[in-house]
Amino acid sequence: MGKENEEPAEEELAEEELAEEELAEEEFPEQGEEFSELIKYTVPGYVLGLLAGVFLDFQGYQRSPIGQWLVRTLAGEGESIFEGIFSIRQRLRKAEGSMAEAYGWGKFFGIAVPWIIDLGSRLAGVDVYGIEGFYIPYFYALSDQIGANISGMLFLRRAEGSWKAGFSRYVRHPVMLASLFVITLVPVGLFGIRVLGFSPTTQTYTALEAIAANLCWIPPLVGWLNEKYR
């Protein structure tokens, strides 16, 4: 009798697991493809930023504030521009809302934040080449990532119907956790290399610092790998 009761219970459990898997596939049907697209946008930004740095150094603009703004925008935020275009394209073709699209919107809307921080710091007299200026490349590299993380959280809240359920999903979502890891790790690294004596005194150094800090490719890579091997 007990054995007969166990068999239906096991069947019900298997059916529930299958239903959950099908629901997950319905919610994010093409996430692997979308996250793979986001990864592709990082390298062009790196290349453009580095080329701009080398060119400006060659022209004698090693410490030009406008030059640093351009180099950091390309190397630290170049992919955000492309990802914003990706999200706009998704809306224009009326694709179903997804985590990748929300991620792209968050990065796109975070682009201008470091410009304001950079300008404000210079006007306030902060030594942008010294230790105290370590946060400037951080925001160029990761303000868009912070925006993406917030946008992803809002997406999960809408998908789950409440903040509690959304946060519960957040702490189990590999892309959101990878994003949070990058956001907290990079400033420590930037501060460390400034303490050790590094200073972005040329536009090439500025580009290399921004490229090293711009680990925004990690969360989409985690999302792509998660969907590929799930």
Side-chain angles (χ1 to χ4, degrees):
M1 187 75 175
K3 190 173 182 180
E4 291 177 358
N5 291 335
E6 288 177 4
E7 290 180 356
E10 291 177 357
E11 292 178 0
E12 290 177 4
L13 182 60
E15 290 176 0
E16 289 178 2
E17 291 178 350
L18 180 60
E20 289 178 359
E21 291 177 0
E22 290 176 350
L23 179 60
E25 290 175 358
E26 289 175 4
E27 286 179 347
F28 307 109
E30 298 178 347
Q31 288 291 282
E33 291 182 20
E34 291 186 359
F35 277 120
S36 68
E37 281 201 46
L38 297 186
I39 297 168
K40 297 174 185 176
Y41 300 144
T42 304
V43 175
Y46 286 173
V47 173
L48 290 173
L50 188 57
L51 289 176
V54 172
F55 175 77
L56 289 170
D57 283 342
F58 184 75
Q59 295 297 318
Y61 297 110
Q62 287 87 351
R63 293 204 177 198
S64 166
I66 296 177
Q68 282 197 322
W69 164 78
L70 176 63
V71 169
R72 283 176 172 150
T73 297
L74 291 173
E77 302 188 292
E79 84 282 354
S80 298
I81 299 172
F82 294 114
E83 288 173 15
I85 294 172
F86 163 79
S87 295
I88 292 171
R89 191 173 72 243
Q90 290 292 90
R91 286 299 87 217
L92 290 177
R93 70 185 184 92
K94 298 181 180 180
E96 185 177 352
S98 68
M99 172 64 78
E101 181 190 337
Y103 191 86
W105 279 120
K107 296 194 72 175
F108 186 66
F109 286 122
I111 290 176
V113 173
W115 304 348
I116 299 171
I117 293 173
D118 189 1
L119 178 61
S121 298
R122 292 175 188 272
L123 293 175
V126 174
D127 180 8
V128 298
Y129 299 101
I131 297 173
E132 62 266 39
F134 82 96
Y135 62 88
I136 295 176
Y138 168 70
F139 282 108
Y140 270 100
L142 293 179
S143 66
D144 52 356
Q145 186 65 214
I146 295 171
N149 198 277
I150 294 172
S151 184
M153 179 66 223
L154 293 175
F155 173 83
L156 292 175
R157 188 267 175 199
R158 289 195 303 271
E160 297 299 323
S162 71
W163 283 109
K164 183 178 180 180
F167 182 73
S168 177
R169 181 84 172 274
Y170 175 95
V171 297
R172 293 181 287 107
H173 200 291
V175 175
M176 292 295 95
L177 293 180
S179 175
L180 185 62
F181 174 76
V182 167
I183 289 169
T184 55
L185 176 68
V186 169
V188 177
L190 285 171
F191 181 76
I193 63 172
R194 290 287 182 101
V195 169
L196 293 174
F198 175 82
S199 180
T201 51
T202 69
Q203 301 295 356
T204 302
Y205 284 166
T206 297
L208 292 174
E209 182 182 50
I211 290 171
N214 185 7
L215 301 181
C216 292
W217 53 270
I218 291 179
L221 176 62
V222 170
W224 177 73
L225 291 173
N226 180 63
E227 292 302 318
K228 184 177 178 64
Y229 297 108
R230 187 175 65 179

